[in-house]
Each structure stands twice: as C-alpha cells, then as structure tokens.
Amino acid sequence: EDKVVQSPLSLVVHEGDTVTLNCSYEVTNFRSLLWYKQEKKAPTFLFMLTSSGIEKKSGRLSSILDKKELFSILNITATQTGDSAVYLCAVNGGGGSYIPTFGRGTSLIVHP
Amino acid sequence: DAGVIQSPRHEVTEMGQEVTLRCKPISGHDYLFWYRQTMMRGLELLIYFNNNVPIDDSGMPEDRFSAKMPNASFSTLKIQPSEPRDSAVYFCASSFRDRAGGYTFGSGTRLTVV
C-alpha cells in the first residue's frame, strides 16, 4: 500500500520567517510527487516533481525531490499571513493511471 | 473556464435521509474523482471515473455510498441512508490524464448529518 507521511503536522511562525515542510513516501513505481495548498476551500495545485535534484520555484515557494531517499521538501521564504494554509503532499505511483495518494498535510499558521 | 463545479456547497440532513452531491467537471477532462476529507483521516479517494466509466470504487466506505457519471459533464455521489459519521467535506476533482496529477478540485460540499 502506498504511503505518504508529512511533517510537521502543524507549524506556527511569524511573518518573514522561512519554513520547510517535509514529505516522505513509499510507493510502487513512482511517477510524480505533487504539492497542493489548501486554504479554506479546495486544494490548489502548486508543483509537480518527477526528477531528483531539480528545484521547482514559484515566487517565494520552492520544492525539490530526492528519489533516492524518497522525500521532498517545500520551502517558503519570507512568509506572509497569506501563506497560512494546509499544505498537502501527494504521490502518484502504481499502475498505469495517475491516481495520487495524499498525505495528511501540514497546517501552517503565519502570524503578523 | 468555470472550473469544477459542485453543489450544494453545504448540506445539513438528518440521519437516515438520502443525500445527493453533484459535480460538473472541467470540459475536456477525462478523469473525475470523488474525495472525502475529515480531520481524522485527511483526504481519501472514494471512487474515480475515466471517460464516464467507474474504474476503482475500492475507497467507497460501504454499500450506502454510490456514484454515477451518466455523461462527461455530470457526476453524482449518493449516500443512502446517511449517518452522522458521513459528516465530512466531499470534493470532486477532474484532470486530463496527460497532466499526470495536476488535478483541479471543486470547492467541495460540506455535509453534516445530525
């Protein structure tokens, strides 16, 4: 059974801090790893990673994958209150279909 | 593009009643997924369809749950009879296979069974 574990479960920081969110996984036939941001409603897609060592970047957010050690990190620099959300990690594996397994998420709260 | 549209946004019902949740996927997407999210269990896949055909319903909790996709632009998730432990947020998502996971989620239906 595919498994995705995120840490920490929750994090409280002040604006301007840098945070690192972790995602480790066990999956058969890894295809891709996905990061989503979930505010009050639906998860919104952030990144898809397929290759080790190649950083994906979008503004203050960046992510990297290590396929040897089976983990990914999501970094957020100079955090803002608008970054407060649950960050979900998901991994695609298994057979021929792209059906991800989601982790439980990391709840990030950024105080002004 | 209006995105994935779900209705209703909120549903409060009494135990034993039938509940029907609705979803309109993004036009052109060939995969449709139903997820349930709770604090205890996180985001769980219930069932998914490919080209309107149910592919895997192993996540459906029990026979009280059923899902249909009569055409490419509409799907329903039905719970009959509903129970308090079904209270959760139910998300519908759609994707085009080649994007390998860049799902678009609907805004969800918050179901409360009292």
Side-chain angles (χ1 to χ4, degrees):
Chain A
E1 184 180 329
D2 296 346
K3 195 172 170 183
V4 178
V5 178
Q6 293 186 246
S7 63
L9 287 180
S10 63
L11 198 51
V12 180
V13 301
H14 290 282
E15 272 192 321
D17 289 349
T18 293
V19 298
T20 298
L21 310 182
N22 304 293
C23 175
S24 64
Y25 62 89
E26 295 174 22
V27 63
T28 307
N29 298 326
F30 174 89
R31 292 177 180 269
S32 60
L33 185 142
L34 314 166
W35 284 98
Y36 286 84
K37 177 182 181 181
Q38 185 175 22
E39 295 175 87
K40 292 188 178 176
K41 296 181 180 175
T44 53
F45 177 72
L46 293 174
F47 298 114
M48 182 175 75
L49 302 124
T50 56
S51 302
S52 278
I54 297 175
E55 186 182 55
K56 290 280 182 93
K57 199 168 171 65
S58 176
R60 296 175 295 101
L61 276 67
S62 63
S63 183
I64 198 160
L65 174 67
D66 185 327
K67 288 166 74 174
K68 183 179 175 186
E69 299 298 329
L70 307 183
F71 77 91
S72 173
I73 59 172
L74 175 68
N75 279 320
I76 309 175
T77 58
T79 51
Q80 302 171 357
T81 54
D83 296 326
S84 296
V86 174
Y87 290 84
L88 296 166
C89 174
V91 177
N92 279 313
S97 60
Y98 295 100
I99 308 304
T101 299
F102 280 85
R104 294 287 302 277
T106 292
S107 173
L108 173 65
I109 297 174
V110 182
H111 286 305
Chain B
D1 188 348
V4 176
I5 299 172
Q6 290 187 246
S7 64
R9 296 292 293 274
H10 302 275
E11 176 83 33
V12 180
T13 191
E14 290 185 344
M15 184 172 66
Q17 296 297 306
E18 178 180 294
V19 175
T20 299
L21 312 182
R22 296 172 176 79
C23 175
K24 177 179 167 55
I26 290 174
S27 178
H29 281 188
D30 57 348
Y31 278 79
L32 183 140
F33 309 85
W34 282 101
Y35 282 89
R36 177 172 69 176
Q37 187 175 42
T38 61
M39 290 291 291
M40 291 297 293
R41 301 173 69 89
L43 202 60
E44 301 174 278
L45 177 67
L46 299 176
I47 185 172
Y48 75 94
F49 296 82
N50 176 219
N51 292 323
N52 313 339
V53 176
I55 303 300
D56 184 353
D57 66 354
S58 59
M60 297 284 258
E62 46 199 274
D63 291 346
R64 297 184 298 106
F65 285 69
S66 62
K68 293 182 181 178
M69 193 165 185
N71 57 63
S73 59
F74 184 66
S75 176
T76 58
L77 177 68
K78 187 176 291 188
I79 309 172
Q80 165 64 13
S82 57
E83 296 181 4
R85 60 192 166 122
D86 301 330
S87 298
V89 180
Y90 291 81
F91 287 106
C92 175
S94 70
S95 73
F96 182 63
R97 188 183 189 278
D98 287 346
R99 292 193 187 154
Y103 288 6
T104 301
F105 283 81
S107 295
T109 294
R110 182 173 293 278
L111 173 66
T112 303
V113 183
V114 297

